Amino acid sequence: MPFVLSLVLFVSGLYLLLSRAHALWLLIGVELMLNAAAPLLIAVGTAEALAVLFLLLFFALLEAGAALFIFYHYARSHRTLSLDKLAAL
């Protein structure tokens, strides 16, 4: 069951990453793909697996914070988060 859940998380993140042209949906898709290994690490349950899980969550938090900071400044300067306007710059 954890493998199926990880697969669903990864595929849904990949779908969001490939099908949306909105910056926040891209961020959500990347985060889903990054955190897809979490159910497998929890299912293993060893101390090393849980340490890797906390490391994975820490880097996901750093990545999300940096991305939201960049998106905030992009939205303030261009008044939108649509990535279609990025090609016109």
Side-chain angles (χ1 to χ4, degrees):
M1 185 66 186
F3 177 75
V4 174
L5 182 60
S6 293
L7 187 64
V8 167
L9 285 173
F10 188 82
V11 169
S12 62
L14 188 63
Y15 172 74
L16 286 175
L17 189 67
L18 295 176
S19 67
R20 306 288 186 209
H22 196 272
L24 288 177
W25 285 111
L26 290 176
L27 175 64
I28 291 169
V30 168
E31 288 294 324
L32 279 173
M33 290 174 62
L34 178 65
N35 294 327
L40 294 173
L41 292 170
I42 291 171
V44 171
T46 63
E48 293 85 8
L50 293 178
V52 170
L53 174 67
F54 285 130
L55 190 62
L56 179 120
L57 293 177
F58 174 71
F59 283 119
L61 180 68
L62 285 179
E63 186 244 336
L68 287 175
F69 178 76
I70 291 168
F71 291 161
Y72 172 73
H73 287 287
Y74 176 76
R76 283 194 60 191
S77 63
H78 297 289
R79 307 250 192 272
T80 184
L81 278 175
S82 176
L83 296 179
D84 295 333
K85 299 199 180 219
L86 188 61
L89 296 178

